[in-house]
Amino acid sequence: MAKRDSFGSGFGVLVAMAGSAVGLGNLWRFPYLVGTNGGAAFIIIYLAFVLLLALPIMYSEFIIGRRSQANVFGAYRVLAPGTKWCNTGYIYVLGSLAIISFYCVVGGWTMAYLWKAVTFEFSVADTAVLGDTFNRTVTSNTEPLVFMLIFLFVTSIIVMAGIKEGIERYTKVMMPLLFVIVVVVAARSLTLPDASAGLDFLFRPDFSKVTSKTLLDALGQAFFSLSIGCGTIMTYGSYVNKRENIVGLSAQTAITDTLFAIIAGLAIMPAVFSFGISPAEGPGLVFVTLPFIFAQIPFGAFLAILFFFMLFIAAITSSISQLEVIVSYLKEEFSMSRKVAITSSLVVIVTFGVLCSLSQGTLSDVKILGYNFFDFFDKTSANILLPLGGFFAVIFVGWKMKKQDVEDELTSGGLHKLRPAFLNFIYYSIKYLAPVVVAIVLISGLV
Ligand code: PHE
C-alpha cells in the first residue's frame, strides 16, 4: 500500500488546524451572536465553554485520529476492532456534509461580495439600498449558485493536491495573510470617532441579558468555531506524526481561534457604534452594515476589498477541512482515488448546496421540520450532529480507551512531559466533565 500522506511540520499542523477553526464562524457568526446576545457577557460564557468543553473534545478527536492514523470510520477499526464503534463515523461524515452544504453558500456570498467590492458597487451609503443588494444577491437563482460553484471548485483544487502539498502548503500562506488583514481592518475601525462605545460593548459584561438561549448559542458557537464534533480534528490528527505535541497544538489552535474572533469583534463593533447602528443587526452585519460603513470612510473602497478577501480566505481554509473528512473516508473505506472521492463528494455537496442557496429565495417555502434547507443544515449540524459527534469522541477516549494509552498520546509517548495533576485534569475532563455538559446541552437543545 502507498504511504499515507502526512503533514510536513508542526507549524503546518497548526496553520491547518487554525485555518479550519478560523472561518466564517469567527468573522461572520461570532460578531452577530455577540451583538444579539448582549456583548461581553456572551464572550465570557463562550470562553468558559471553550476551556472546559471544547478543549477536552478537541484532545479526544486528536487522540483518536493520531493514534489510529485512519479516517473517521477506519479509526475505530484500528482502535476498537470488532466493535460497533465504527458506526459513530457516520455522524462525522454526515456532520461535515451538512456543514459544507450551507458553508459553501455563504462562501459563495463572500466571493460575490468580493467581486462587488472590486467593481466598486458599494459606493452608495444607504442601508436601504445595501439591504436590497444583499437580498437580491442571496435570493437570485443564478449569482449565488455561480459563486458557490467557484468556491467549491477552489476548495476541491486544494484538497486534490493532498495534505502536505495541498492543505498545508496553502494554509501556510493564507493564515499569516489573514492575520495581517484582520489587524489592518481592526486598526482602521478602532481609529474611527467614538470607537470606544464599541469597545465598551465588547468588554463590559452585562449579565442581565443572559438567558438559556445565550448559553445554547455560546455552546453551539464553541463547537462550530473550533471545528469540533464533525471529525475535522480527527481527520487532520490522523495525518500528524507521533512526535507532535497534541496538547500544545490544540491549545494553540483554540487560542488562535479566540484571538481571531476577538479581533474580528474589534474590526466590526467600533465601526458599527461609530455610525450609530444597532449591533443586533444579525446575519446582515457583515454584508449590509459594513458596506454601508465602507462607503463613508476614507480608503473605504480599498478596505471593502480587503475585508471580503479576508472573509473568502477564512472560509476556504475551513471548507477544505470539511471536504477532507468526507474525502479521506471515501478514499480509504471504498479504495477510491482522491479524484474519484472528491468528484463523488461534490455530486452530493453541490446538490445540497443548490437547495440551501435556493432556499433563500425560490425555495423559501419548502420546509423540513419547519426550517428551510439552509437553516435545516445549519441547525441539525450545530445543535445535533456536532454535539453528538463530540459526545461520542469523549466517551470513546474516556471510557473505551485505556487510561495509559490516552496518556501516551497526550504526552506523545513521554516526549512532551506534562505535570501529573494537569494530565489528570485533562483526563477527567474528557471522562466526566465534557460528556455531562454536552449531554445536558444536547437534551435541552432537542427539547
Ligand atoms: N470553524 C469554522 C468556522 O469557524 C467552521 C467549521 C466547522 C469548519 C466545522 C470545519 C468544521 O468558520
Side-chain angles (χ1 to χ4, degrees):
M1 213 175 84
K3 194 171 168 290
R4 209 165 175 271
D5 205 349
S6 65
F7 284 105
S9 65
F11 179 68
V13 180
L14 177 64
V15 283
M17 291 202 4
S20 170
V22 176
L24 297 170
N26 308 59
L27 302 167
W28 170 64
R29 221 163 176 263
F30 185 77
Y32 82 69
L33 284 175
V34 173
T36 50
N37 281 298
F42 177 85
I43 300 184
I44 292 173
I45 298 170
Y46 171 79
L47 289 181
F49 279 141
V50 168
L51 270 182
L52 297 176
L53 192 67
L55 270 177
I57 295 175
M58 195 184 269
Y59 297 142
S60 304
E61 278 199 38
F62 211 149
I63 289 172
I64 297 172
R66 188 185 53 189
R67 197 159 186 88
S68 65
Q69 302 277 304
N71 68 86
V72 293
F73 202 85
Y76 296 96
R77 240 201 327 273
V78 177
L79 301 180
T83 67
K84 292 214 166 29
W85 272 98
C86 273
N87 295 323
T88 58
Y90 291 123
I91 304 175
Y92 303 115
V93 176
L94 282 181
S96 299
L97 186 61
I99 291 182
I100 196 169
S101 299
F102 72 88
Y103 207 85
C104 67
V105 175
V106 186
W109 296 350
T110 67
M111 291 185 93
Y113 266 68
L114 178 58
W115 180 247
K116 289 185 206 300
V118 172
T119 52
F120 296 108
E121 247 189 71
F122 298 136
S123 30
V124 268
D126 181 339
T127 38
V129 175
L130 290 163
D132 190 49
T133 305
F134 181 60
N135 258 331
R136 264 187 296 115
T137 306
V138 303
T139 56
S140 144
N141 285 338
T142 44
E143 190 183 348
L145 296 184
V146 171
F147 282 107
M148 178 194 91
L149 289 178
I150 304 177
F151 182 82
L152 284 174
F153 180 73
V154 179
T155 304
S156 308
I157 297 278
I158 298 176
V159 173
M160 186 63 219
I163 304 304
K164 197 189 288 154
E165 297 301 322
I167 294 176
E168 177 169 356
R169 187 156 137 217
Y170 289 96
T171 45
K172 256 185 185 164
V173 182
M174 290 195 269
M175 288 312 287
L177 189 63
L178 192 60
F179 185 72
V180 174
I181 302 180
V182 78
V183 170
V184 170
V185 179
R188 176 67 270 226
S189 173
L190 283 168
T191 47
L192 289 169
D194 292 328
S196 59
L199 292 181
D200 252 18
F201 180 73
L202 280 172
F203 297 117
R204 190 166 301 160
D206 172 5
F207 283 97
S208 68
K209 299 233 172 62
V210 174
T211 62
S212 61
K213 181 178 166 291
T214 317
L215 295 181
L216 267 181
D217 274 349
L219 189 102
Q221 176 63 9
F223 271 89
F224 186 81
S225 191
L226 290 185
S227 308
I228 53 175
C230 60
T232 312
I233 305 296
M234 212 181 275
T235 304
Y236 274 7
S238 76
Y239 300 114
V240 172
N241 73 46
K242 296 286 175 195
R243 289 180 308 279
E244 299 299 345
N245 180 352
I246 289 188
V247 175
L249 283 167
S250 303
Q252 286 160 4
T253 303
I255 293 171
T256 311
D257 188 65
T258 309
L259 207 66
F260 263 96
I262 304 278
I263 304 180
L266 289 177
I268 293 170
M269 288 309 166
V272 167
F273 277 85
S274 170
F275 281 84
I277 301 168
S278 155
E281 283 297 311
L285 204 53
V286 301
F287 291 108
V288 180
T289 309
L290 284 183
F292 170 72
I293 294 166
F294 289 140
Q296 300 174 67
I297 56 180
F299 305 111
F302 174 65
L303 277 174
I305 297 177
L306 268 190
F307 183 81
F308 288 107
F309 181 59
M310 162 173 96
L311 271 189
F312 164 67
I313 304 183
I316 278 285
T317 55
S318 298
S319 62
I320 53 179
S321 70
Q322 297 153 4
L323 183 58
E324 181 61 31
V325 173
I326 310 170
V327 167
S328 66
Y329 160 71
L330 292 177
K331 197 170 157 283
E332 290 169 12
E333 295 303 309
F334 299 93
S335 310
M336 290 180 181
S337 67
R338 213 163 240 284
K339 199 166 176 181
V340 175
I342 293 177
T343 318
S344 334
S345 318
L346 280 180
V347 172
V348 185
I349 297 168
V350 169
T351 309
F352 288 166
V354 168
L355 292 176
C356 287
S357 183
L358 293 181
S359 74
Q360 302 298 302
T362 311
L363 298 182
S364 62
D365 289 335
V366 184
K367 299 268 156 80
I368 319 175
L369 304 174
Y371 293 117
N372 68 29
F373 285 111
F374 186 106
D375 293 339
F376 176 76
F377 283 100
D378 181 355
K379 297 281 184 271
T380 38
S381 54
N383 296 353
I384 301 174
L385 291 169
L386 299 192
L388 209 59
F391 179 76
F392 280 115
V394 281
I395 292 288
F396 183 81
V397 172
W399 296 85
K400 177 78 190 162
M401 283 180 73
K402 289 200 200 79
K403 184 167 187 236
Q404 203 186 345
D405 290 347
V406 176
E407 291 186 355
D408 185 59
E409 278 301 317
L410 286 171
T411 59
S412 307
L415 198 62
H416 303 284
K417 297 246 178 313
L418 292 172
R419 285 216 196 94
F422 185 51
L423 202 55
N424 274 328
F425 171 73
I426 296 182
Y427 183 72
Y428 290 109
S429 358
I430 292 177
K431 191 169 175 120
Y432 298 108
L433 182 69
V436 170
V437 181
V438 180
I440 294 175
V441 176
L442 238 184
I443 293 166
S444 65
L446 288 179
V447 174

